[in-house]
Amino acid sequence: MALQLEGAEIILLSMGSERTRDLILDLTKHGTKKAYLLCDRAFAGADTLATAYALSLALKKLMPDLVICGRQTIDGDTGQTGPAISVLTGLNLITNVMEITDDHGKLTCRTRTEKQRMIECPSLITVERAKHLRLPGIRSKRGEVVLWGADDIDADKSRCGFSGSPTRVIESYRNQEGRRKCQFVIPAS
């Protein structure tokens, strides 16, 4: 979704092991010049709260106008990290965004409930899997991935990783039934 915002300077930010660097480096070929990877043993074992804490510190350092997060991560299904980041950074929040339109710097989001909402920057939005990443151009060049550790973002290590995570995963499993049966309930106004 960020790639469709004309004239936007896109910066990637992620947290993971050093092996994640190559994946992020490949993403820079799609139109970003720089990426940041929070990579430190202090971040290992982080739950959504500890992840949001570390990412929020990096965002405070980068100071973007708009933060675009996925609804959930590939290794979890809580959908809590984006909203938690918005609380920790004080950013406005819109969730379940399906589409963004840019009208001369005024951004409008269409959400899963088909509501149109205007964005006042700085803001954070969580997006649904509504877009597919296009293939990079044949002359696309890789950008740069900067590794930041806990000290680089002035993190309190007691709030990071396993030690900063109040939740513990006891067991994980793959959903064998396929699709979940969920229903969205919209409260009466």
Side-chain angles (χ1 to χ4, degrees):
M1 270 194 202
L3 293 170
Q4 75 184 37
L5 298 173
E6 195 170 318
E9 178 186 337
I10 301 168
I11 297 171
L12 299 172
L13 172 64
S14 189
M15 186 170 94
S17 68
E18 202 163 330
R19 292 185 318 215
T20 311
R21 183 182 177 279
D22 289 336
L23 296 170
I24 293 171
L25 192 57
D26 284 342
L27 288 174
T28 63
K29 292 170 37 176
H30 292 272
T32 63
K33 299 287 183 257
K34 202 165 217 178
Y36 293 86
L37 176 61
L38 301 184
C39 182
D40 193 314
R41 291 186 74 60
F43 301 138
D47 68 356
T48 57
L49 184 62
T51 299
Y53 170 70
L55 290 171
S56 71
L57 292 176
L59 289 168
K60 286 177 183 177
K61 196 169 177 175
L62 294 169
M63 296 178 47
D65 295 323
L66 178 64
V67 177
I68 302 176
C69 296
R71 178 180 60 161
Q72 64 202 43
T73 61
I74 26 180
D75 63 348
D77 196 18
T78 64
Q80 297 170 341
T81 304
I85 291 170
S86 78
V87 170
L88 292 169
T89 57
L91 294 171
N92 299 314
L93 174 68
I94 299 176
T95 60
N96 303 321
V97 173
M98 301 292 290
E99 184 177 349
I100 302 173
T101 54
D102 183 0
D103 184 21
H104 305 292
K106 293 181 182 179
L107 300 176
T108 304
C109 297
R110 183 178 58 82
T111 64
R112 183 187 308 160
T113 58
E114 298 296 326
K115 291 186 179 182
Q116 299 277 342
R117 299 207 29 213
M118 296 291 291
I119 297 176
E120 283 188 37
C121 291
S123 291
L124 182 146
I125 62 173
T126 64
V127 297
E128 298 292 318
R129 184 181 232 155
K131 303 286 181 191
H132 294 282
L133 193 59
R134 62 176 168 68
L135 293 173
I138 196 159
R139 290 189 172 91
S140 296
K141 293 188 171 135
R142 286 182 170 180
E144 170 186 8
V145 177
V146 177
L147 300 180
W148 277 352
D151 292 336
D152 295 312
I153 57 172
D154 298 321
D156 174 354
K157 291 181 184 173
S158 70
R159 294 183 64 188
C160 295
F162 192 74
S163 61
S165 300
T167 57
R168 301 288 182 257
V169 175
I170 304 301
E171 179 182 359
S172 65
Y173 58 92
R174 182 175 296 268
N175 181 353
Q176 300 299 321
E177 294 180 28
R179 300 185 62 85
R180 293 181 292 170
K181 297 174 182 121
C182 61
Q183 177 182 2
F184 289 95
V185 178
I186 300 171
S189 299

